Amino acid sequence: MRCIFCDIAAGILPSEVVFETDDVIAFRDINPAAPVHVLVVPKEHIDGIAVVDQTHTAVLGRLMLAAVEVSKSEGVAGDGFRLVINQGREGGQTVGHLHIHLLGGRQMRWPSG
Ligand code: AMP
């Protein structure tokens, strides 16, 4: 299945990439909700967090490690940041390709709404 984030991962669609490995790419959100708003995305198409199984264990670990790496390179690791995965309609997911939002650079509120 091909989608907008597959096209970004393949370099077909432009994006502001801040981190990349063989299986993970991270780029700035086009509509940032915070001073730092980066999407951490597996290059492999996965519809969302609800469909992962044990075959995804390695890539899920790499996604989390990438998010922490980007928090450091974006300068928000010290003051704190938030990682968010939206799943499905009620979860607010609008792009059907698994991604972690890394949000930082301002005080986060809770509950997130
Ligand atoms: P979600 O609503 O959790 O599925 O998050 C999707 C995110 O992708 C939103 O925050 C959008 O602003 C962002 N987005 C959509 N298209 C692009 C794009 N071409 N480049 C960067 N971010 C995008």
Side-chain angles (χ1 to χ4, degrees):
M1 184 195 217
R2 191 171 144 189
C3 71
I4 188 170
F5 287 178
C6 287
D7 285 350
I8 287 175
I12 296 166
L13 266 183
S15 68
E16 197 178 335
V17 176
V18 298
F19 177 94
E20 185 167 11
T21 63
D22 284 349
D23 46 15
V24 174
I25 189 165
F27 51 89
R28 294 198 193 286
D29 197 292
I30 204 168
N31 185 22
V36 173
H37 189 171
V38 172
L39 302 174
V40 185
V41 177
K43 290 185 176 179
E44 165 194 0
H45 183 87
I46 302 170
D47 286 342
I49 195 66
V51 301
V52 299
D53 58 29
Q54 288 196 359
T55 66
H56 299 106
T57 301
V59 73
L60 289 173
R62 291 190 193 113
L63 277 179
M64 295 302 280
L65 291 172
V68 172
E69 203 56 48
V70 174
S71 78
K72 294 175 187 165
S73 58
E74 291 293 313
V76 296
D79 285 340
F81 56 90
R82 181 168 289 172
L83 301 180
V84 174
I85 298 175
N86 296 324
Q87 170 58 45
R89 185 175 53 82
E90 289 202 351
Q93 183 178 9
T94 60
V95 175
H97 182 133
L98 176 62
H99 49 284
I100 301 175
H101 295 258
L102 166 65
L103 298 151
R106 66 166 168 81
Q107 180 62 53
M108 296 294 147
R109 289 169 291 279
W110 191 262
S112 65

